[in-house]
């Protein structure tokens, strides 16, 4: 039986990660958060005291990325900060950074770990570039204000000085960079189903996503 691939794309805090994880659990497929790879590259650059906009540093970090680091609790926690997210969108605009981690993403889809019969990848360019032949594609979105409120609720637990306006500005800057870059911009694939989660609960969004995937 051939392996199934589900591509889930969308902007920051659209709910795509939660939905992709839920779908993976439902189908017992492997799950890859590709944003974490870009965040990891950015964090390595930041921890070396270098600038994410320094192309050489970003490409070297991508080429030397040790995936095992993603499982280290301290590293994994630092991946989730707003600063790392913003730095990730800077390194992600560099074509050689994207090229360095493209193969690993495709291999995950083609040969999912642990003998799983399918894989779900979430990101910005899964349906368009990484897995254009995916069996099902979703593009998850939500209004920027709603996405900012969701992200702010997560982040304020670690930093109570963070304002909603600041998070909204960060999200809008990241959307603009992700959608405007020349290489693999964030874009809905022509054959992707669009799902707006602005007015949906997590359960409602999951039911809608499942219905779209199972067609
Ligand atoms: O999804 P997440 O917010 O963790 O992604 C962090 C950043 O990584 C995004 O803003 C985007 O710039 C980049 N990214 C990407 N392509 C992907 C996944 C993430 O460019 N497939």
């Amino acid at each position: 039986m051939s392996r199934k691939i589900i591509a889930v794309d969308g902007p920051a805090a659209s709910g795509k990660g939660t939905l992709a994880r839920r779908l993976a659990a439902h189908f017992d497929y492997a799950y890859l958060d590709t944003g974490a790879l870009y965040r990891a590259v950015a964090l390595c650059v930041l921890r070396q005291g270098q600038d994410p906009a320094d192309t050489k540093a970003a490409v070297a970090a991508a080429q030397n990325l040790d995936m095992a680091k993603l499982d280290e609790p301290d590293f994994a926690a630092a991946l989730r900060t707003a600063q790392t997210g913003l730095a990730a969108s800077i390194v992600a605009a560099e074509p050689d950074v994207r090229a360095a981690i493209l193969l690993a993403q495709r291999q995950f889809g083609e040969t999912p770990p642990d003998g799983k019969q399918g894989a779900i990848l979430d990101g910005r360019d899964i349906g368009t570039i990484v897995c254009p032949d995916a069996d099902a594609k979703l593009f998850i979105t939500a209004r920027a204000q709603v996405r900012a409120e969701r992200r702010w609720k997560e982040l304020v637990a670690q930093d109570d000085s963070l304002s909603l306006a600041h998070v909204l500005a960060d999200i809008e800057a990241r959307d603009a960079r992700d959608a405007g870059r020349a290489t693999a911009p964030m874009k809905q694939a022509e054959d992707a189903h669009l799902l707006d989660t602005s007015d949906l609960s997590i359960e409602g969004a999951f039911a809608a996503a499942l219905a779209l995937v199972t067609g």
Side-chain angles (χ1 to χ4, degrees):
M1 201 180 76
S2 71
R3 305 270 185 276
K4 297 281 184 204
I5 300 180
I6 301 177
V8 181
D9 290 301
S14 57
K16 66 183 187 310
T18 304
L19 286 177
R21 272 190 199 89
R22 289 280 304 262
L23 288 169
H26 178 85
F27 291 112
D28 192 27
Y29 287 175
Y31 166 66
L32 181 65
D33 167 8
T34 66
L37 304 178
Y38 292 96
R39 285 172 181 264
V41 171
L43 188 56
C44 291
V45 172
L46 292 172
R47 287 193 166 175
Q48 285 158 8
Q50 288 169 308
D51 181 350
D54 175 342
T55 302
K56 264 195 174 166
V59 173
Q63 286 170 345
N64 296 313
L65 184 63
D66 173 8
M67 302 274 186
K69 278 196 100 51
L70 298 168
D71 297 324
E72 290 173 14
D74 158 64
F75 193 83
L79 286 184
R80 303 315 319 162
T81 68
Q83 186 201 20
T84 309
L86 210 52
S89 77
I90 296 172
V91 302
E94 173 52 52
D96 290 343
V97 166
R98 306 196 72 83
I101 58 177
L102 180 61
L103 198 62
Q105 296 173 74
R106 285 198 175 141
Q107 275 171 352
F108 187 96
E110 282 156 19
T111 315
D114 305 324
K116 300 278 185 192
Q117 293 305 306
I120 303 196
L121 289 83
D122 86 36
R124 302 292 187 291
D125 61 338
I126 308 302
T128 50
I129 306 285
V130 179
C131 304
D133 298 326
D135 299 276
K137 299 181 185 177
L138 296 176
F139 192 86
I140 311 294
T141 190
R143 294 187 294 276
Q145 182 71 28
V146 172
R147 292 188 284 120
E149 282 167 15
R150 288 176 184 162
R151 189 47 56 86
W152 178 75
K153 281 183 194 151
E154 280 169 25
L155 295 173
V156 83
Q158 299 138 29
D159 175 5
D160 61 9
S161 68
L162 199 63
S163 74
L164 177 59
H166 186 91
V167 175
L168 178 61
D170 264 8
I171 279 194
E172 285 176 336
R174 208 134 73 80
D175 286 354
R177 196 176 293 120
D178 290 345
R181 68 182 172 227
T183 306
M186 170 175 69
K187 196 167 83 179
Q188 182 183 350
E190 277 180 16
D191 51 352
H193 300 285
L194 179 67
L195 178 61
D196 187 326
T197 66
S198 300
D199 302 311
L200 296 176
S201 64
I202 292 178
E203 286 308 318
F206 175 65
L210 190 57
L212 291 171
V213 166
T214 52

